[in-house]
Amino acid sequence: FLPHLVASMEEVEETYIMIKPDGVQRGLVGEIISRFEKKGFKLTGLKLFQCPKELAEEHYKDLKSKSFFPKLIDYITSGPVVCMAWEGIGVVASARKLIGATNPLNAEPGTIRGDLAVQTGRNVVHGSDSPENGKREIALWFKEGELSSWTPVQEPWLTE
Ligand code: GDP
Ligand code: MG
């Protein structure tokens, strides 16, 4: 076992990050994108989009039985969202850490929700919870041709 190989053992993953309508309305788009850029992840998809009800329901289908589901669908469809695909080593779990706990009052300072939000029903950003859901959600929100595969010039300065 070679400790210096730990990082390279970690998988390159994709995650779906979405700035919710409150984040767009509050002028937090640049701030939120910036956190993922500065960390060193690679943006592979980006669009401003008015989400139809059916798509919101499909995206959150696991929460269908929850009492807050109708409110959640109203929230997500209440204005444009910013849809993003991000790629990187361990990006799924790392993005969830950058985002912080679901309830912004429990989210640590330094996280997006911890710094920028107060209520669960207005928690400004979504991030996929597993690599499988990352792929599923990117396929759900983006069409073919909307994603770009590219090599950032900084890559050798971020990964060994
Ligand atoms: P996440 O993965 O941290 O976004 O949290 P979940 O997957 O558990 O829930 C998805 C989204 O549903 C959350 O980000 C909230 O916007 C919303 N949500 C979750 N729980 C509640 C709740 O108790 N009340 C309300 N109003 N919204 C909730
Ligand atoms: Mg979730």
Side-chain angles (χ1 to χ4, degrees):
F1 179 73
L2 300 166
H4 69 276
L5 287 177
V6 165
S8 61
M9 284 161 62
E10 292 175 39
E11 298 269 327
V12 174
E13 301 167 342
E14 304 172 276
T15 193
Y16 177 66
I17 303 294
M18 176 167 69
I19 305 174
K20 298 178 178 180
D22 50 334
V24 176
Q25 293 289 349
R26 292 176 53 207
L28 298 173
V29 170
E31 164 83 32
I32 293 170
I33 293 177
S34 183
R35 301 218 177 182
F36 297 96
E37 272 192 320
K38 285 180 196 162
K39 174 72 176 172
F41 294 126
K42 176 165 72 174
L43 184 64
T44 57
L46 174 68
K47 66 179 177 185
L48 187 75
F49 182 64
Q50 176 62 53
C51 171
K53 192 164 184 249
E54 300 68 40
L55 179 57
E57 288 171 347
E58 176 63 21
H59 175 78
Y60 283 122
K61 66 180 179 192
D62 292 349
L63 299 173
K64 209 159 198 157
S65 63
K66 303 283 185 189
S67 59
F68 60 81
F69 188 75
K71 272 196 340 188
L72 173 60
I73 301 307
D74 285 350
Y75 166 42
I76 294 303
T77 58
S78 64
V81 294
V82 173
C83 309
M84 293 180 277
W86 289 89
E87 188 184 292
I89 295 168
V91 70
V92 173
S94 178
R96 296 275 295 184
K97 280 189 188 169
L98 292 173
I99 288 169
T102 304
N103 181 341
L105 292 180
N106 297 333
E108 294 296 325
T111 65
I112 295 168
R113 288 168 174 167
D115 289 348
L116 305 174
V118 289
Q119 240 194 349
T120 303
R122 296 288 184 271
N123 62 4
V124 302
V125 66
H126 165 82
S128 308
D129 61 8
S130 67
E132 297 69 42
N133 277 335
K135 284 188 194 307
R136 176 183 86 87
E137 292 169 4
I138 289 169
L140 193 61
W141 289 85
F142 287 98
K143 294 185 207 131
E144 253 184 63
E146 288 183 331
L147 300 166
S148 296
S149 173
W150 60 292
T151 304
V153 290
Q154 62 173 350
E155 200 165 83
W157 301 102
L158 278 161
T159 52
E160 293 181 76

